[in-house]
Amino acid sequence: MNIVELKSVANAIVAKQKGVLAADESNPTIKKRFDSIQVESTEENRRRYREILFTADGIEQYVGGVILFDETLRQSTREGVPFPTLLSSRGIIPGIKVDQGAKALALCPGDKVTEGLDGLRERLAEFRQLGAQFAKWRAVIEIDERDIPSQFGIRANAHALARYAALCQEAGLVPIVEPEVLMDGAHGIERCEVVTAQVLEAVFAELDAHRVQFEGMLLKPNMVIAGKKCARQAGVQEVAEATLRCLRRYVPAAVPGIVFLSGGQSAEDATDHLNAMNAMGTQPWQVSFSYGRALQAPVLAAWRGQESNAATAQQALLRRCELNGLARDGKYDRAMDHG
Ligand code: 13P
């Protein structure tokens, strides 16, 4: 492990104004996104869609890294330039999703655990050779009214995240550690804060036990937010305050950056929340984004699978990136989305 190199990659991903474009939807997930715009999920349509994203003019000012799916890491532009090469040539760092999805945790009804550790050392070596410089692993923590997640469910996920992160650093890849507490459900923001705190505490204890160097990783957490079905939805400032309070208690200052997931928030809400946090002043770490849906929803809506819409789709992506770039400085205003 070369910690100097890992640190410099992690810092470059969250450089001023910059964040991450999460474009690592697995084939079942991208199919769902394409279904919503009546586009067939063929290998060529997936390639072309990602090409539209990665060749959008100007996004390199706001996008420090892109997370790719295995298939995408091996695809190329129409001219035959491999996507990782294209991204690197634009100053955007290519990354790779390496987990293999969340499955039911045996004997723990309701809890899930993410799979993908077997053979991971060999896969990481190949991904690095294909040009990836960082990786992502997502743990999924569901909240229900009573006792889900269980303490053991949290521990099992934290342990897997730490084993993944250690393997990444051994292989010279920056691990993005993503423990996602889902916003599905009817729980209030208070319960989300309690569970997020338990999860972060467990994750950093395991990372430390596994000798992961905090300086050479990034954390991708959920924001502290009410469940979608909760009658009382917290305001923007309340979300920002609860999220920073929770993170400041449990995330070591040695971590270079926090890159939030959007998790089903609207594009505007995700930008607004990020903005409110950055408007609260300097934090121990960079406070940035690693959005999937919140960056891509406007792009999919503009594209609709039509070649004639490609340029408009790219403008929609650039606009969303630019607004999140402003939110990195606390300079976004919701009115900008309605101008
Ligand atoms: P969302 O921003 O759509 O939640 O996606 C981010 C991601 O990479 C989830 O693993």
Side-chain angles (χ1 to χ4, degrees):
M1 169 170 70
N2 180 343
I3 186 64
V4 177
E5 213 176 285
L6 291 173
K7 261 170 97 166
S8 102
V9 170
N11 282 311
I13 292 170
V14 291
K16 198 172 158 47
Q17 286 195 307
K18 290 187 186 179
V20 176
L21 165 62
D24 59 327
E25 298 81 7
S26 62
N27 284 350
T29 303
I30 197 73
K31 184 180 180 310
K32 269 194 256 165
R33 308 275 185 268
F34 279 9
D35 283 348
S36 73
I37 54 164
Q38 285 94 46
V39 171
E40 199 189 340
S41 182
T42 62
E43 186 177 346
E44 172 52 21
N45 284 344
R46 294 191 293 270
R47 190 206 63 77
R48 179 57 188 144
Y49 173 62
R50 268 69 180 247
E51 181 176 43
I52 288 171
L53 297 178
F54 307 157
T55 57
D57 255 350
I59 61 162
E60 67 280 359
Q61 291 166 261
Y62 313 105
V63 176
V66 172
I67 318 173
L68 306 168
F69 183 58
D70 188 297
E71 175 186 273
T72 322
L73 188 74
R74 302 166 199 275
Q75 286 176 325
S76 302
T77 64
R78 270 180 188 155
E79 295 75 30
V81 182
F83 284 147
T85 310
L86 168 82
L87 290 167
S88 300
S89 74
R90 303 191 60 192
I92 299 174
I93 302 173
I96 176 77
K97 167 198 178 77
V98 302
D99 68 72
Q100 295 177 328
K103 307 280 155 60
L105 181 60
L107 307 186
C108 295
D111 284 308
K112 285 187 172 149
V113 70
T114 300
E115 297 189 343
L117 288 170
D118 287 355
L120 183 56
R121 178 178 274 127
E122 291 72 26
R123 288 196 293 130
L124 290 174
E126 191 197 4
F127 292 146
R128 196 178 146 91
Q129 220 225 325
L130 288 166
Q133 289 181 265
F134 70 96
K136 183 194 100 170
W137 177 289
R138 172 172 177 255
V140 180
I141 312 288
E142 224 170 279
I143 297 184
D144 84 351
E145 293 83 12
R146 298 178 313 280
D147 47 1
I148 302 295
S150 70
Q151 290 308 306
F152 182 72
I154 291 175
R155 242 172 68 206
N157 276 289
H159 187 266
L161 275 167
R163 278 196 60 202
Y164 141 81
L167 281 161
C168 283
Q169 290 195 336
E170 178 192 85
L173 292 157
V174 170
I176 293 191
V177 172
E178 180 180 9
E180 174 172 7
V181 176
L182 294 181
M183 64 186 283
D184 300 341
H187 56 277
I189 186 171
E190 298 80 7
R191 178 123 159 85
C192 179
E193 184 168 353
V194 169
V195 173
T196 303
Q198 290 172 344
V199 167
L200 291 175
E201 186 181 22
V203 165
F204 280 97
E206 287 291 345
L207 288 168
D208 194 38
H210 284 75
R211 306 181 184 181
V212 172
Q213 302 277 299
F214 299 153
E215 290 82 358
M217 62 163 275
L218 294 168
L219 179 72
K220 176 164 175 165
N222 52 285
M223 295 181 195
V224 172
I225 202 167
K228 275 186 217 155
K229 292 190 213 129
C230 181
R232 192 183 79 79
Q233 290 295 315
V236 172
Q237 193 57 30
E238 188 180 356
V239 169
E241 282 170 20
T243 304
L244 284 183
R245 176 171 62 230
C246 188
L247 293 173
R248 288 179 66 97
R249 284 179 183 162
Y250 296 102
V251 183
V255 173
I258 309 272
V259 289
F260 288 103
L261 59 94
S262 61
Q265 299 178 44
S266 70
E268 291 177 21
D269 282 350
T271 308
D272 215 356
H273 288 143
L274 179 66
N275 184 70
M277 284 186 258
N278 279 299
M280 285 169 67
T282 308
Q283 303 300 326
W285 359 258
Q286 292 296 309
V287 175
S288 185
F289 58 91
S290 174
Y291 294 159
R293 283 163 285 180
L295 284 173
Q296 294 185 57
V299 188
L300 286 164
W303 178 50
R304 303 201 156 271
Q306 302 297 315
E307 204 43 48
S308 53
N309 293 334
T312 319
Q314 291 185 319
Q315 280 158 16
L317 177 62
L318 177 59
R319 180 64 181 152
R320 212 62 242 161
C321 291
E322 189 187 359
L323 293 172
N324 283 296
L326 287 169
R328 288 277 281 112
D329 276 335
K331 291 183 181 151
Y332 164 80
D333 189 306
R334 230 170 155 110
M336 294 170 178
D337 257 312
H338 302 283

